[in-house]
């Protein structure tokens, strides 16, 4: 159980730290830009890429927990490829909960925290976009 807790902390702290650093850089770039629309498109693409990278972190942790550390299994589907782990991580991260795959064993801990962290990071991105647009509206860009 301690290994699952440690993996969960690594996933949450790693993805949140990455998110913080990326938003700081995107904010600096966006606020220095001459026009709002090109900057907004750049920020949106950056945020989508950032979320894909964070989903990749969870996919790597699910792969590690399943294949290397044997912390549990996934009932309902064998995961033969890395894309299966990425798909499952995207479902968990985005809180979709499609439930075609059910984690068993200690892997349930990581899987139960992934939607909470994903929801926080997704709303953080949304509020960041909102603040950028509101600032641009106030400045008349």
């Amino acid at each position: 159980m301690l290994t699952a807790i440690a993996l969960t902390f690594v996933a949450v702290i790693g993805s949140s730290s990455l998110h913080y650093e990326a938003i700081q850089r995107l904010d600096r770039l966006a606020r220095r830009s001459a026009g709002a629309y090109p900057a907004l498109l750049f920020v949106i693409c950056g945020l989508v890429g950032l979320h894909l990278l964070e989903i990749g972190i969870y996919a790597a942790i699910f792969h590690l927990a399943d294949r290397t550390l044997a912390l549990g299994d996934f009932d309902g589907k064998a995961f033969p490829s890395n894309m299966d782990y990425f798909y499952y991580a995207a479902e968990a991260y985005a809180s979709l909960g499609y439930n075609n795959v059910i984690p068993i064993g200690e892997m349930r801990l990581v899987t139960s925290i992934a939607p909470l962290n994903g929801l926080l990071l997704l709303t953080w991105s949304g509020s960041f976009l909102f603040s950028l647009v509101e600032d641009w509206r106030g400045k008349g860009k």
Side-chain angles (χ1 to χ4, degrees), residues 64-110:
L64 178 69
D66 184 29
R67 296 282 171 100
T68 306
L69 301 174
L71 293 179
D73 205 356
F74 292 100
D75 189 29
K77 180 165 175 57
F79 281 16
S81 74
N82 291 335
M83 193 60 193
D84 290 323
Y85 287 104
F86 190 84
Y87 173 75
Y88 179 75
E91 275 186 350
Y93 181 90
S95 305
L96 297 175
Y98 186 59
N99 278 341
N100 61 340
V101 178
I102 300 166
I104 51 178
E106 295 175 6
M107 208 136 29
R108 292 179 299 172
L109 177 65
V110 182

Side-chain angles (χ1 to χ4, degrees), residues 17-88:
S17 299
L18 176 66
H19 204 83
Y20 174 79
E21 293 297 328
I23 280 185
Q24 262 194 329
R25 284 169 176 71
L26 287 170
D27 187 48
R28 276 194 295 249
L29 287 170
R31 293 185 193 280
R32 278 192 251 153
S33 73
Y37 293 113
L40 185 61
L41 291 175
F42 179 78
V43 167
I44 289 172
C45 289
L47 288 172
V48 169
L50 175 62
H51 287 289
L52 289 174
L53 183 59
E54 291 161 355
I55 290 168
I57 290 171
Y58 274 99
I61 285 177
F62 288 136
H63 185 276
L64 178 69
D66 184 29
R67 296 282 171 100
T68 306
L69 301 174
L71 293 179
D73 205 356
F74 292 100
D75 189 29
K77 180 165 175 57
F79 281 16
S81 74
N82 291 335
M83 193 60 193
D84 290 323
Y85 287 104
F86 190 84
Y87 173 75
Y88 179 75

